[in-house]
Amino acid sequence: MNKYDIIISPLMSEKSFDGIQSKKYTFKVDKRATKTQIKVAIEDIFGVKVEKVNTSNYDGKTKRMGRNEGKTAAFKKAIVQLKADSKPIEFFESLT
């Protein structure tokens, strides 16, 4: 699995913005990725030092459109804590 296949996109929410000050960043990642793979991918892509990775699996929510019922896509979320001596991720710094 390629490191760019592991990290799908950053997640932007109020809770994820609050974590930027303490160097916690939230990403949507591949469902098959392990914490170690996520750590290596973040370090290689952004050039930072990762302290720890927390992951959560989310099931798709049930949605209705008239009589039809379906589900949204399931995904995996990773919260990445950087080391204190690591530089911040520049992409997120421009948002605050």
Side-chain angles (χ1 to χ4, degrees):
M1 193 180 315
N2 186 356
K3 62 186 172 189
Y4 294 103
D5 294 334
I6 293 172
I7 308 301
I8 297 172
S9 66
L11 284 179
M12 305 296 174
S13 66
E14 286 185 41
K15 191 170 184 178
S16 66
F17 278 120
D18 291 341
I20 291 175
Q21 299 301 326
S22 58
K23 294 190 178 180
K24 282 187 180 181
Y25 302 98
T26 308
F27 296 93
K28 187 184 285 189
V29 296
D30 189 273
K31 287 186 67 72
R32 299 164 291 171
T34 63
K35 290 182 179 185
T36 308
Q37 290 173 330
I38 295 167
K39 177 181 177 179
V40 170
I42 294 290
E43 287 177 344
D44 288 347
I45 293 171
F46 297 107
V48 295
K49 297 176 188 173
V50 175
E51 184 175 337
K52 72 178 180 179
V53 177
N54 293 330
T55 59
S56 299
N57 285 310
Y58 289 90
D59 291 331
K61 293 181 181 179
T62 303
K63 297 286 184 176
R64 290 186 52 173
M65 278 294 261
R67 284 187 262 178
N68 301 327
E69 191 172 285
K71 285 196 164 223
T72 60
F75 67 97
K76 187 173 191 175
K77 178 173 88 170
I79 301 171
V80 178
Q81 173 70 49
L82 301 184
K83 291 185 178 179
D85 61 339
S86 176
K87 66 178 180 120
I89 297 176
E90 294 175 12
F91 173 78
F92 288 97
E93 290 302 313
S94 63
L95 299 174
T96 57

